[in-house]
Amino acid sequence: KRHLAALVSKSRRKRDLGETGYMAFSKKVLKWRLIGEGYSSQLTVEEQRYIFRLAFRMWSEVSPLEFVEDTRSPLEDIDIRLGFGTGRHLGCNQRFDGTGQEFAHAWFLGDIHFDDDEHFTAPNAGSGISLLKVAVHEIGHVLGLPHIYRPGSIMQPSYLPHESVFEMDWMDRKAIQHLYGGCKGRFNTVFDWIRREKTPYGEVVIRFNTYFMRDGWYWLYENRNNRTRYGDPVALQIGWRGVPLDGVDACVHVWSRKRDAVYFFRGTQFWRYDSENDGVFTQDPEGHRYPRLISEGFPGVPSPIDTAFYDRRDSHIYFFKNRLVYAFDVEANSLARGFPKNIRDVFPPVVSGDHPDGNIDAAYFSYTHNAIFLLKGARFWQVVGSRDRWRWLFLPRNGLLPHKEVDQHWFDICNVHPTALKL
Amino acid sequence: EKLFHNRDHSDVQTLNSHQAEVITDKYKAELFLSRYGFMKPVNWEEIQFEDSHTSFSGDFLNDLQATIQEGASVPHSRDAPQDDYMIPTESEAFASALKEFQKVSGLPVTGVFDEATKVAMNKPRCGVPDTEIDLNTAVAAENSSASDIENSPGDTYETDSNNTSEAVRRR
């Protein structure tokens, strides 16, 4: 009767079954629940809820959707209801067929049913049918995706047992983003963290990784794969011990022949980060305890700052605050002559009118692109580099090329619901 | 049976009485193909919701009412087909549906219900038809070919040649 009520209460129309699916939900935060009368007899309830939390999280990591488990609201308010059953089940009009063949199905209204005659298993549990894979697939249907007959797609109708890594590939990501849009949002800072590492053979090599930080979370961005690390975002304190839990204003890595120092800035304070031991220093060589005041460590630089980056070309740290830029000479430990300057004087627009005009979110020197980017909101401006100026002499020094969208250059950097941050 | 079992019989595989019916002949293959949208079932009833308000044709309510009661008590019947309608075997429609299924499943496209096709049909799969069916409308979309996305080789992206990131291990 509950199912009939749900059917009756919602007017329906035959949907345009376009090849790419349809946008099943218009809101971005969706509630889900493993219904009480639909627990599996094969896994503990906690295992089932954990697997579903992970499945929803995987979709949240590649789309602007967020999912929250809701065990209290009335069932009609729950967007996606999951349950196990066998044969005739849960008031559904498509009976299950027993072990083998059909293992689950999903319905427009957001109901997902799993055939409890199947041998569902937890991730990495070897034989049996991975409940995680099936759940991710069926959630894809509820979100509006059809079957996709493409090797590697999560939306293939048949179950694929042997896969080393079960993650959403580029095409599946674009398929869901085609329905719900890309992931946009401001960042507190973006930087490449460079460090020395010893190879198993004892060689010292230089490695770098790219990090995007937003409030108390961060993503490692894998440039060669055009995506974030699987499983991100993660809470700051997990990877950056001692850094303010709720986020930073900037991170600067002063890396030259003489210096190798990473600084985090937040408000009026800054911390130096110990890359060797992966945590903030408690004090500097002169015994000053961290965090220190920016005004002491970087005389002439105001605080709080909007952001900052280190330019290896001239060994200056460029601090940004509102419309002004403060170039700080690291060697001289003082502001460079003539600064502060207006941001348009330091970074003139190549195309007039196309300029962030201050209050930028992040300034990022990318070792992958060997270029500087200024990020503001969902846009970024690339700074003209020396190579560009060799080819186009008319380009002004440090000119800003026309803006582009952040999510069209660094892909799939998506939030998850705060409750889903930790599984 | 093993001579000796674990003390708690955890190693004893209880024979699960509910086994899915194995697809072994053309009739069951047709059921499979029509169920998953590869061919149009001839006389399933067409039940439409209307836009402005929800009204049902009488049969739908009866069917659903029967479903609700049935779910409570009627045991799982194995031999007779669940509903009392028969799907006539139109060899052309059947052959083209078979070809469609074979094509999207990466099988040799023969249009014949061969061994490879039989194996593919019996694999565990999602119960959602390949051409999505409105919730209670039993008619597959006009275009019987699966309206799934068949990806032409889109852009490729660099494959990660550096070491596996720790997230994979962590997940």
Side-chain angles (χ1 to χ4, degrees):
Chain A
K1 289 188 173 59
R2 172 187 55 73
H3 203 66
L4 176 61
L7 286 175
V8 169
S9 70
K10 291 197 175 165
S11 68
R12 301 282 316 289
R13 68 193 184 292
K14 192 168 180 69
R15 281 193 168 63
D16 165 24
L17 309 182
E19 287 203 0
T20 55
Y22 65 97
M23 186 178 177
F25 295 98
S26 52
K27 52 183 184 175
K28 289 289 167 61
V29 181
L30 301 174
K31 298 176 186 171
W32 66 271
R33 178 185 300 169
L34 168 56
I35 54 178
E37 63 267 41
Y39 291 152
S40 169
S41 59
Q42 303 179 69
L43 298 160
T44 67
V45 174
E46 263 326 301
E47 281 175 323
Q48 296 166 52
R49 292 175 60 204
Y50 174 86
I51 292 168
F52 290 149
R53 274 199 301 272
L54 179 51
F56 280 109
R57 167 146 184 161
M58 288 177 71
W59 280 112
S60 191
E61 287 175 4
V62 298
S63 70
L65 299 172
E66 293 180 11
F67 302 93
V68 56
E69 183 181 18
D70 183 332
T71 54
R72 289 198 181 82
S73 303
L75 201 56
E76 291 80 57
D77 296 345
I78 303 300
D79 300 296
I80 302 174
R81 296 161 298 277
L82 307 97
F84 292 80
T86 58
R88 278 265 176 236
H89 58 277
L90 302 171
C92 180
N93 74 345
Q94 180 167 317
R95 99 183 18 241
F96 278 135
D97 54 7
T99 307
Q101 290 179 46
E102 182 181 8
F103 46 62
H105 50 231
W107 296 98
F108 281 91
L109 292 171
D111 291 291
I112 298 177
H113 301 154
F114 301 89
D115 185 349
D116 213 17
D117 277 329
E118 304 299 341
H119 175 36
F120 284 117
T121 57
N124 315 319
S127 69
I129 291 185
S130 162
L131 178 57
L132 178 64
K133 283 186 180 181
V134 174
V136 170
H137 177 99
E138 301 303 333
I139 293 168
H141 280 315
V142 161
L143 297 180
L145 289 176
H147 281 148
I148 299 174
Y149 278 84
R150 176 177 53 77
S153 173
I154 267 175
M155 295 312 292
Q156 291 180 82
S158 296
Y159 180 74
L160 301 163
H162 313 301
E163 274 168 353
S164 57
V165 174
F166 173 63
E167 296 287 349
M168 267 161 247
D169 65 10
W170 172 272
M171 296 297 289
D172 283 345
R173 291 159 184 250
K174 296 316 133 187
I176 194 69
Q177 287 164 21
H178 175 73
L179 303 181
Y180 292 95
C183 297
K184 297 177 185 291
R186 306 176 55 187
F187 292 102
N188 290 69
T189 189
V190 185
F191 60 95
D192 285 347
W193 180 44
I194 303 126
R195 61 207 183 273
R196 284 182 189 74
E197 275 186 9
K198 271 207 176 136
T199 67
Y201 313 103
E203 291 166 310
V204 175
V205 292
I206 306 286
R207 283 207 193 292
F208 80 89
N209 283 104
T210 299
Y211 291 90
F212 284 74
M213 290 188 174
R214 176 183 291 150
D215 302 329
W217 300 354
Y218 74 96
W219 296 257
L220 180 149
Y221 190 78
E222 300 186 17
N223 291 284
R224 68 184 69 229
N225 296 326
N226 289 323
R227 61 168 171 77
T228 60
R229 171 176 55 189
Y230 294 139
D232 286 359
V234 189
L236 272 188
Q237 68 256 34
I238 289 181
W240 301 91
R241 279 178 300 159
V243 168
L245 298 182
D246 52 356
V248 298
D249 295 328
C251 174
V252 164
H253 187 176
V254 176
W255 186 40
S256 62
R257 258 186 295 277
K258 287 189 243 170
R259 295 172 190 267
D260 180 1
V262 176
Y263 297 103
F264 280 98
F265 298 83
R266 169 59 189 266
T268 59
Q269 300 175 315
F270 74 95
W271 291 254
R272 185 171 169 199
Y273 196 77
D274 178 357
S275 296
E276 297 294 327
N277 304 299
D278 221 350
V280 294
F281 281 103
T282 52
Q283 60 186 39
D284 70 4
E286 290 80 34
H288 303 114
R289 291 197 63 81
Y290 285 108
R292 296 184 56 200
L293 289 177
I294 293 176
S295 53
E296 288 171 5
F298 301 89
V301 174
S303 58
I305 57 173
D306 292 337
T307 191
F309 79 97
Y310 175 69
D311 192 336
R312 293 191 69 207
R313 295 173 301 181
D314 58 11
S315 301
H316 285 17
I317 301 175
Y318 285 78
F319 292 94
F320 296 78
K321 185 175 175 72
N322 302 328
R323 291 170 167 272
L324 295 180
V325 179
Y326 300 74
F328 186 82
D329 185 334
V330 176
E331 302 308 329
N333 200 44
S334 66
L335 281 189
R337 190 165 354 103
F339 285 87
K341 291 181 182 176
N342 186 289
I343 189 170
R344 277 178 169 262
D345 297 334
V346 183
F347 301 98
V350 168
V351 172
S352 72
D354 193 339
H355 195 279
D357 274 330
N359 302 103
I360 64 173
D361 298 326
Y364 165 43
F365 175 76
S366 160
Y367 282 88
T368 299
H369 303 286
N370 195 28
I372 302 164
F373 300 97
L374 303 187
L375 285 76
K376 183 176 181 182
R379 294 175 167 182
F380 73 90
W381 287 259
Q382 179 170 339
V383 177
V384 168
S386 46
R387 220 173 293 158
D388 303 313
R389 296 188 70 212
W390 289 336
R391 288 165 68 187
W392 296 291
L393 295 176
F394 66 87
L395 290 176
R397 186 175 186 281
N398 284 339
L400 295 187
L401 297 171
H403 76 272
K404 290 177 183 169
E405 297 299 313
V406 172
D407 69 343
Q408 295 307 304
H409 200 263
W410 295 279
F411 301 95
D412 312 341
I413 306 176
C414 302
N415 275 353
V416 296
H417 195 272
T419 59
L421 193 62
K422 274 191 71 180
L423 289 173
Chain B
E1 175 190 30
K2 276 179 20 180
L3 198 55
F4 296 103
H5 298 288
N6 293 352
R7 188 64 190 79
D8 62 358
H9 288 168
S10 55
D11 61 339
V12 172
Q13 173 86 37
T14 50
L15 185 62
N16 190 313
S17 60
H18 301 175
Q19 292 288 334
E21 232 171 312
V22 179
I23 298 169
T24 52
D25 55 38
K26 280 182 65 176
Y27 168 70
K28 288 173 185 159
E30 273 181 29
L31 281 183
F32 175 95
L33 293 171
S34 62
R35 175 175 178 177
Y36 290 116
F38 289 94
M39 68 189 292
K40 190 174 177 178
V42 173
N43 63 352
W44 286 27
E45 289 164 44
E46 182 162 345
I47 301 130
Q48 288 292 338
F49 284 114
E50 289 175 15
D51 242 344
S52 53
H53 58 280
T54 306
S55 74
F56 305 98
S57 61
D59 304 333
F60 164 71
L61 270 182
N62 301 340
D63 180 37
L64 198 59
Q65 197 54 37
T67 303
I68 290 173
Q69 284 160 10
E70 196 180 285
S73 58
V74 175
H76 204 49
S77 65
R78 288 258 139 256
D79 35 23
Q82 191 49 46
D83 298 305
D84 53 11
Y85 55 80
M86 288 298 298
I87 296 177
T89 51
E90 295 169 5
S91 55
E92 268 173 12
F94 179 57
S96 70
L98 264 184
K99 283 178 180 172
E100 185 62 32
F101 173 73
Q102 290 164 341
K103 185 182 121 191
V104 296
S105 305
L107 300 170
V109 180
T110 60
V112 173
F113 181 52
D114 49 33
E115 192 54 32
T117 306
K118 193 187 297 182
V119 168
M121 283 184 173
N122 283 293
K123 276 185 178 170
R125 64 157 288 152
C126 168
V128 171
D130 290 305
T131 52
E132 202 155 19
I133 291 181
D134 193 339
L135 183 63
N136 288 311
T137 305
V139 177
E142 275 315 308
N143 166 9
S144 67
S145 71
S147 66
D148 295 305
I149 297 174
E150 287 174 26
N151 172 51
S152 54
D155 62 337
T156 56
Y157 54 91
E158 260 181 303
T159 51
D160 186 1
S161 57
N162 73 350
N163 49 17
T164 307
S165 59
E166 65 278 12
V168 175
R169 284 192 303 281
R170 188 176 67 240
R171 191 190 291 279

